[in-house]
Amino acid sequence: MSRLKVEMNHTQYHSFRPGELWLDDHGVPINAHGGGVLFHDGVYYWFGEHKIAGEAGNAAHVGVHVYSSTDLYHWNDEGIALAVSDDPASPITRGCILERPKVIFNPRTKKFVMWFHLEPKAAFDYSGAMSGVAVADHVTGPFGFVAGFRPNAGVWPENVPAESQRELSPEEAAYVARLDCPGGPLPYYPKHLLFRRDFSGGQMARDQTLFVDDDGAAYHLYASEDNGTLHLSRLSGDYLSPAGKFIRVLPGRFNEAPALMKWHGRYFLFASGCTGWAANQARLLAADSLWGNWEELGCPCLGPGEQVTNTFNSQSTFILPVPGRTDAFIFMADRWNPANAMDGRYVWLPIEFRHNVPVIAWHDEWDLSFFDQANG
Ligand code: GAL
């Protein structure tokens, strides 16, 4: 065993092998699911959910793990950036659900800010639907928990007509309360009632990501309204809270797993349908402005059969722009394994551009020179 570990310590990678086991500098599989990458001072930092073995691993028993790399192939274990709490009263107490952490750097406050999906009561029905925020002085942490809440309480979306900017009547509230919204599409989904229901208490927020635009403004995208509608929400100048301006994106389309990129002034949003841990067909949305209008372009996956219909058996989590390279973006996705959560795999694929649209094809193995060929 120990000899095996010594050998593994020296694992050298020269390529990405999507879906294969990927070892860190200790020879241990990288444990950073639902993650995102921050490039800071010439180093990549990969933050993700640390999962333990078995079904128990679908809840958070450890926290958010962070790894560093200078070449994107070799990752050094930098430890736990945000640890779950031993205090049963804490919203991030051990056994809560803490998913899809994303970290951005605020150049004004010099703080590293993490947002994540939080289910404080380990509600496996995911009824909490909250956002958690944590902050750190150093990129690898320790991050301190700031708050858990439902975003945009008391704020109307920018893109709804004035007549919809009112809370539910008692009759509407009773109707909505009787509906059973399972978090996936259903024929009687009340497409324009749920954001009104949640006006005063804050909007539901499950799958989520962060995006910093070229002007330094940061945005939070989250699956809201019982997963039926994505919200795109501006963050405050310190990135710690919503700024009070948000829109609804494609109401009733049930997009989740959002991952946003900007290319030649246009915004592209990768998402999935809502089928829990099971993979489904990815969707691609585009807009000339973050504030819309967002249009759906279709499925960004190229290839035969299941590669397209189940997104190479994975679900999007982040788009990593590769610094120093033109038109180089990596599609990061998770191949979940809910029966043994820790063994979920990472699917990293290069984004290609066809007819000015980002697309993804399968590669058993690829390396960064792919981008030289693709764009050379
Ligand atoms: C998926 C979601 C994951 C996790 C899972 C739980 O739809 O993308 O992050 O929340 O559901 O079933």
Side-chain angles (χ1 to χ4, degrees):
M1 183 65 188
S2 60
R3 202 167 65 215
L4 181 67
K5 193 150 185 215
V6 171
E7 281 167 16
M8 283 172 154
N9 271 346
H10 296 95
T11 305
Q12 291 292 314
Y13 292 109
H14 305 284
S15 61
F16 303 103
R17 293 197 292 147
E20 298 293 313
L21 215 49
W22 197 351
L23 307 179
D24 69 10
D25 59 322
H26 298 127
V28 173
I30 294 170
N31 199 334
H33 308 266
V37 172
L38 171 68
F39 184 66
H40 187 75
D41 282 347
V43 179
Y44 302 94
Y45 296 91
W46 178 357
F47 296 84
E49 305 160 32
H50 181 106
K51 290 184 182 277
I52 65 169
E55 267 184 71
N58 297 314
H61 297 272
V62 178
V64 176
H65 210 133
V66 57
Y67 298 82
S68 67
S69 175
T70 50
D71 63 6
L72 293 173
Y73 303 124
H74 300 94
W75 291 91
N76 300 319
D77 183 2
E78 300 283 354
I80 300 303
L82 172 69
V84 294
S85 171
D86 287 320
D87 176 1
S90 165
I92 59 164
T93 191
R94 199 179 303 279
C96 71
I97 290 176
L98 195 168
E99 293 180 341
R100 297 182 175 268
K102 304 286 178 278
V103 174
I104 53 180
F105 175 65
N106 189 306
R108 270 182 282 177
T109 62
K110 307 266 185 272
K111 304 274 188 199
F112 298 87
V113 180
M114 178 190 294
W115 284 65
F116 49 91
H117 169 198
L118 173 63
E119 298 289 336
K121 294 201 196 92
F124 281 95
D125 60 357
Y126 282 75
S127 57
M130 292 166 75
S131 298
V133 181
V135 67
D137 293 325
H138 303 285
V139 59
T140 54
F143 279 76
F145 180 66
V146 176
F149 52 89
R150 284 188 169 191
N152 288 311
V155 181
W156 291 112
E158 298 274 310
N159 58 345
V160 301
E163 61 268 26
S164 296
Q165 300 189 7
R166 58 193 165 88
E167 294 194 66
L168 297 183
S169 68
E171 294 73 30
E172 288 171 325
Y175 169 69
V176 167
R178 280 199 305 276
L179 295 179
D180 181 23
C181 291
L186 66 177
Y188 51 88
Y189 176 72
K191 188 155 127 177
H192 296 305
L193 293 181
L194 300 183
F195 74 92
R196 293 172 50 209
R197 174 195 65 188
D198 294 332
F199 173 75
S200 57
Q203 299 293 329
M204 297 177 80
R206 290 191 182 125
D207 281 10
Q208 61 116 50
T209 194
L210 298 178
F211 179 78
V212 181
D213 209 346
D214 302 331
D215 61 359
Y219 298 84
H220 181 211
L221 278 114
Y222 53 88
S224 195
E225 303 180 28
D226 281 294
N227 288 350
T229 304
L230 284 173
H231 289 181
L232 182 144
S233 171
R234 175 86 186 247
L235 294 186
S236 56
D238 60 10
Y239 300 170
L240 293 174
S241 55
K245 180 176 175 178
F246 76 104
I247 57 166
R248 306 171 71 218
V249 176
L250 298 188
R253 182 60 178 117
F254 283 85
N255 288 308
E256 66 172 14
L260 184 58
M261 60 175 277
K262 185 177 190 179
W263 182 71
H264 293 214
R266 194 159 157 80
Y267 300 88
F268 293 96
L269 175 56
F270 290 77
S272 74
C274 298
T275 53
W277 300 118
N280 60 56
Q281 185 162 6
R283 296 108 182 250
L284 179 67
L285 285 60
D288 291 327
S289 156
L290 283 172
W291 298 112
N293 290 328
W294 284 94
E295 61 169 319
E296 187 169 339
L297 301 183
C299 175
C301 304
L302 304 178
E306 281 214 329
Q307 293 196 347
V308 170
T309 54
N310 73 9
T311 314
F312 318 106
N313 192 14
S314 71
Q315 187 183 32
S316 45
T317 185
F318 195 71
I319 307 294
L320 166 58
V322 185
R325 286 175 187 262
T326 317
D327 299 342
F329 297 84
I330 298 174
F331 173 82
M332 290 171 55
D334 292 283
R335 185 172 289 172
W336 304 113
N337 183 351
N340 186 15
M342 192 175 74
D343 195 33
R345 301 295 174 84
Y346 313 107
V347 172
W348 287 27
L349 290 167
I351 287 180
E352 300 169 56
F353 293 91
R354 301 273 170 88
H355 307 288
N356 292 324
V357 168
V359 293
I360 328 152
W362 178 255
H363 298 266
D364 290 331
E365 184 170 9
W366 66 282
D367 61 50
L368 292 171
S369 71
F370 177 92
F371 294 116
D372 306 332
Q373 293 151 19
N375 305 314

